[in-house]
Amino acid sequence: MPLAHRLTHGRSGRAGLVRSGPVRSGRGGRGRPVAVLTCALATVAALAAVPPSPAAAGQAAGTSAADAATVDVSVNAGVGLGTIDKAAFGVNTAIWDSHMNDPEVADLMGAAGVKVMRYPGGSYGDIYHWKDHTAPGGYVAPGTGFDAFMGTVRATGGQPMIIANYGTGTPQEAADWVRYANVTKGYGAKYWEIGNENYGNGHYGSGWEADDHADKSPKEYARNVLAYSQAMKAVDPTIKIGAVLTTPGDWPDGITGEGDSADWNHTVLDAVAGTVDFVIVHSYPGGASADEALDRTTRLPGQLREVRRQIDRYAGERSSKIGIALTEVNSNTQMNSRPNGLFAADTYMTALENGVFNVDWWNTHNGPDKVSTVDGDTDFNDYGLLSSGGCVGDVCQPAVNTPFHPYFGLKSLTKLGAAGDTMVASSTTDDQVSAHAVHRADGTLSVMLINKDKDATHTAKIGYAGFTPTTQAPVVHRYGRGDTDVTRVAATGGGVQELPPYSITTVTVSPHAAAASVGAPGAPKVTAVDSSTATLSWSAPSSGKAVRYEVYERLGTNAQLLATSTSTSATVRNLPPGSEHTVNVLARDADGRLSRPSVPLTFATTAPRDSSCLVTYRVDAGWGNGFVATVTVSNLADTAINGWSLDFAWPSTGQSVQSFWNAKVSSSGTKVHVTDNGQNGELAPKGGSTATFGFVGANDGANPAPTAFTLNGTVCRTS
């Protein structure tokens, strides 16, 4: 987040910056901010019927259970989405926030399960000098020094996420901070970011981030990341170093700056993928309302998958050692509102389910910007989880540290899962209701259901696979209209659970049968892959004895069995060329029971290496939500081609062709069909000639390259 608390996002990125105080607002420089396994696994494990769910309170006035929309919820405990990290749930804190170390803050963060606090505050990280606790050009509140901050962090039982000053600092200054934190004081500060949104230093035209380097290119940033890492790890080699990336599909993703050979992410990762421990992205989806931002949560899986693809490309076998941290997130609109509370819960879990180890809300306190009414509540457009007690004109916020709705969205997650628990696949038949499920370490299974419909109650019927609940009533917690906290309520009964409008409901059921005597296998990895086969290996479970392993491919909340093995490796065959697959490995014990799933692995097969055609796909230019691409087709066969058609599919539903040249292009969903234009239909044998066409594309979210091209029915090599 830039220096101030209010950002406006233009079409080409963060176009404007507004700073405001408790009673006044203004524009300008650095002022003071106020800151199916149901198919395959069903044959090998008992699947449960829907447990009797007793009745819930909080039904919307005027809506009867009979009138409520019914939504089917599927949960599959055999399809694992990863383990919740100790650093999963975090918030940002800022040195301009005079209330950041209030005793109430530590209590509130602890109650909400917050285990990471990020310091010294977004873009302040690039002007902050820790030794004298100054931020030239910015405001530093009394009592916000590093030791005071660490007192609050330790009171929550958590850990810090620290931004080392890249913009106006030096590697030596950062190394000295590591020495003070971890050698002198023994704080054990593990996570260190090298700067904050450094692509916003003016190199791409928009400049909110301080950067005193004469060269503001991504290449220079990458060079300095290596220098910072070397200096800091010389002091404490156990720390984790993070590098800043742009979020795929958000400005300035895809833009190649003047004098650069590639965009920010590809330039940075090419240089640092062999060194860094994690990468950093931010997300402010925005929109006309918090409801619109809530709907945009669906873009996040594709964006995070593209980050992992980029890491895979440059880190190779080291990719699994590089984590992804979402160190700033907020809807960027109607920030104190109830729908933004739903957004908080939905976004945290969506990010964690898609490979992120840490999510940090922006911000603990921030300050009011403008007053409106959302769902009957006064909204101050304040990024803070907690009130700062500020005013807009004659309208003032509640008392300092009063929680806003997003705080309770975050607190609701404490009823869903905690560090060490296994996230599992879930889905619903209604896009107004989102679901997240966690198989907890104590054996229970929790399902969070978020009803985004502001008007109607929805009735959820939950079906479980790979898990058999008891017949006893589930434990239900809710945060909805009329609730002043996350509250335990009665279950609905009749085999369903009612979800009031604009609510977060968490249903927890106990297991009917004993768990498997064997633990989950270790994380699988690819040891060999080609166009149609992949060899996977994993470590044996840390507990119990496995008699067999089974590899399942995730298909939503379903799965299909791909391979079995009595050893800790297996080869999966007959895979389509250029295709992506996400798999879990499960162990079976001597009694035939399946373990919990391993963490997931996503891998891609290659294009054929010996094909009779070759396709080169190149993105020539991009601007965040659009791009220009050139495609070149070659015939490598011994005979000529007279008339050709090329087919490919977009990896993301948000990608499309808008206009084209030198070919005829048609689309249906994600499928694209291209034919010659009548003048470039002849392709000489053995690569003797080529056909080239281009198009302007649009992307809502990430913009990954297509992985497989078929020329006249033949799958081609790609370059």
Side-chain angles (χ1 to χ4, degrees):
M1 175 65 68
L3 291 169
H5 72 273
R6 174 70 178 127
L7 271 166
T8 58
H9 292 247
R11 195 173 79 179
S12 62
R14 288 174 176 164
L17 182 61
V18 180
R19 294 181 170 80
S20 65
V23 187
R24 64 190 186 280
S25 65
R27 297 175 183 267
R30 290 194 181 109
R32 172 181 175 179
V34 182
V36 187
L37 225 40
T38 52
C39 295
L41 190 55
T43 65
V44 294
L47 306 182
V50 177
S53 299
Q59 186 173 313
T63 304
S64 69
D67 295 333
T70 299
V71 53
D72 291 326
V73 179
S74 299
V75 178
N76 198 326
V79 178
L81 307 182
T83 301
I84 298 176
D85 195 273
K86 291 180 181 179
F89 305 113
V91 300
N92 278 268
T93 57
I95 55 174
W96 39 258
D97 172 14
S98 60
H99 296 289
M100 65 176 282
N101 294 313
D102 289 354
E104 298 92 334
V105 171
D107 293 340
L108 286 164
M109 294 302 110
V114 170
K115 295 300 180 185
V116 168
M117 301 185 80
R118 184 174 181 247
Y119 180 90
S123 293
Y124 262 59
D126 281 311
I127 62 171
Y128 179 63
H129 301 285
W130 71 272
K131 286 183 180 180
D132 57 9
H133 190 50
T134 62
Y139 171 76
V140 178
T144 59
F146 179 58
D147 289 316
F149 161 74
M150 284 304 305
T152 299
V153 172
R154 299 179 100 177
T156 67
Q159 60 184 313
M161 172 77 72
I162 300 174
I163 309 167
N165 185 341
Y166 170 80
T168 61
T170 65
Q172 187 59 55
E173 180 183 33
D176 291 343
W177 197 355
V178 174
R179 180 175 291 103
Y180 178 78
N182 292 354
V183 179
T184 304
K185 302 294 290 189
Y187 289 143
K190 182 178 181 180
Y191 297 109
W192 298 78
E193 302 178 57
I194 310 303
N196 184 63
E197 301 166 349
N198 303 104
Y199 45 80
N201 61 4
H203 185 66
Y204 298 103
S206 238
W208 63 83
E209 200 75 15
D211 188 351
D212 286 350
H213 298 86
D215 181 353
K216 294 178 172 53
S217 69
K219 185 175 181 180
E220 177 68 4
Y221 172 75
R223 187 188 69 79
N224 276 282
V225 166
L226 297 177
Y228 273 71
S229 178
Q230 182 178 16
M232 295 164 75
K233 287 195 172 187
V235 176
D236 182 355
T238 69
I239 64 172
K240 303 295 184 182
I241 297 293
V244 171
L245 296 184
T246 64
T247 303
D250 291 349
W251 185 94
D253 176 54
I255 299 175
T256 300
E258 184 178 354
D260 298 338
S261 59
D263 67 1
W264 181 279
N265 284 9
H266 291 87
T267 302
V268 171
L269 284 171
D270 188 35
V272 308
T275 300
V276 297
D277 304 291
F278 64 103
V279 298
I280 302 134
V281 291
H282 292 169
S283 180
Y284 294 90
S289 67
D291 286 294
E292 189 172 322
L294 180 57
D295 289 339
R296 293 184 180 184
T297 301
T298 57
R299 300 167 73 240
L300 198 53
Q303 292 176 311
L304 295 172
R305 178 64 199 133
E306 180 61 10
V307 173
R308 178 53 62 185
R309 288 190 190 101
Q310 292 173 0
I311 296 171
D312 288 344
R313 173 178 175 180
Y314 292 102
E317 293 183 359
R318 192 175 180 271
S319 178
S320 62
K321 297 180 180 179
I322 300 177
I324 303 172
L326 184 60
T327 61
E328 287 187 24
V329 66
N330 201 310
S331 72
N332 205 41
T333 180
Q334 298 178 342
M335 275 83 75
N336 316 126
S337 67
R338 186 177 298 278
N340 204 35
L342 308 186
F343 171 88
D346 205 23
T347 299
Y348 269 77
M349 290 311 303
T350 299
L352 295 172
E353 291 163 349
N354 286 277
V356 168
F357 75 90
N358 162 255
V359 185
D360 302 319
W361 189 259
W362 183 274
N363 199 13
T364 302
H365 303 94
N366 219 90
D369 176 55
K370 62 183 179 181
V371 175
S372 63
T373 300
V374 181
D375 195 42
D377 297 330
T378 301
D379 183 78
F380 294 91
N381 211 45
D382 183 336
Y383 287 88
L385 287 172
L386 310 176
S387 171
S388 63
C391 305
V392 177
D394 296 331
V395 181
C396 293
Q397 293 182 320
V400 173
N401 293 322
T402 299
F404 292 125
H405 289 298
Y407 170 83
F408 294 109
L410 179 52
K411 188 176 181 180
S412 294
L413 300 177
T414 64
K415 305 304 179 184
L416 178 63
D421 294 342
T422 303
M423 296 172 287
V424 298
S426 60
S427 65
T428 78
T429 56
D430 189 335
D431 60 9
Q432 288 279 64
V433 177
S434 59
H436 305 281
V438 174
H439 196 176
R440 307 184 72 145
D442 64 5
T444 60
L445 193 150
S446 296
V447 185
M448 174 175 281
L449 300 168
I450 302 173
N451 182 5
K452 298 177 282 187
D453 191 327
K454 65 181 178 181
D455 299 315
T457 293
H458 291 244
T459 301
K461 183 177 181 181
I462 308 175
Y464 299 88
F467 182 90
T468 306
T470 64
T471 56
Q472 68 188 46
V475 175
V476 180
H477 290 86
R478 185 194 65 213
Y479 183 69
R481 290 178 181 143
D483 296 327
T484 58
D485 203 342
V486 180
T487 306
R488 181 166 177 177
V489 297
T492 303
V496 297
Q497 180 61 49
E498 288 180 6
L499 314 175
Y502 265 175
S503 65
I504 302 170
T505 303
T506 306
V507 178
T508 300
V509 293
S510 298
H512 174 73
S517 62
V518 60
K525 61 181 180 179
V526 176
T527 57
V529 65
D530 60 24
S531 61
S532 62
T533 63
T535 300
L536 314 176
S537 66
W538 55 88
S539 58
S542 59
S543 61
K545 180 176 176 57
V547 298
R548 190 172 71 198
Y549 298 97
E550 299 173 6
V551 180
Y552 289 91
E553 179 175 14
R554 176 185 173 188
L555 303 172
T557 51
N558 298 328
Q560 64 176 342
L561 182 64
L562 294 184
T564 63
S565 176
T566 56
S567 67
T568 54
S569 67
T571 298
V572 180
R573 305 182 188 280
N574 300 318
L575 300 172
S579 58
E580 279 193 344
H581 305 269
T582 299
V583 299
N584 296 105
V585 181
L586 290 83
R588 191 176 291 281
D589 67 14
D591 294 323
R593 296 172 298 190
L594 282 173
S595 71
R596 293 186 183 220
S598 71
V599 300
L601 167 70
T602 299
F603 66 90
T605 56
T606 65
R609 293 183 173 88
D610 56 354
S611 176
S612 59
C613 54
L614 171 67
V615 173
T616 299
Y617 177 92
R618 185 183 72 243
V619 173
D620 302 307
W623 48 92
N625 60 357
F627 61 100
V628 176
T630 299
V631 181
T632 301
V633 183
S634 300
N635 170 28
L636 306 181
D638 294 333
T639 56
I641 291 176
N642 188 7
W644 55 264
S645 65
L646 184 73
D647 293 279
F648 66 89
W650 294 116
S652 169
T653 56
Q655 295 171 285
S656 61
V657 174
Q658 301 296 298
S659 60
F660 49 87
W661 51 92
N662 292 344
K664 300 174 183 179
V665 181
S666 61
S667 301
S668 177
T670 60
K671 296 180 180 179
V672 181
H673 181 68
V674 186
T675 59
D676 64 80
N677 66 359
Q679 299 177 352
N680 59 357
E682 292 187 10
L683 294 174
K686 298 182 180 180
S689 65
T690 61
T692 297
F693 66 92
F695 58 87
V696 174
N699 57 289
D700 181 15
N703 186 33
T707 56
F709 296 85
T710 301
L711 181 69
N712 290 358
T714 298
V715 181
C716 300
R717 290 166 48 189
T718 57
S719 172

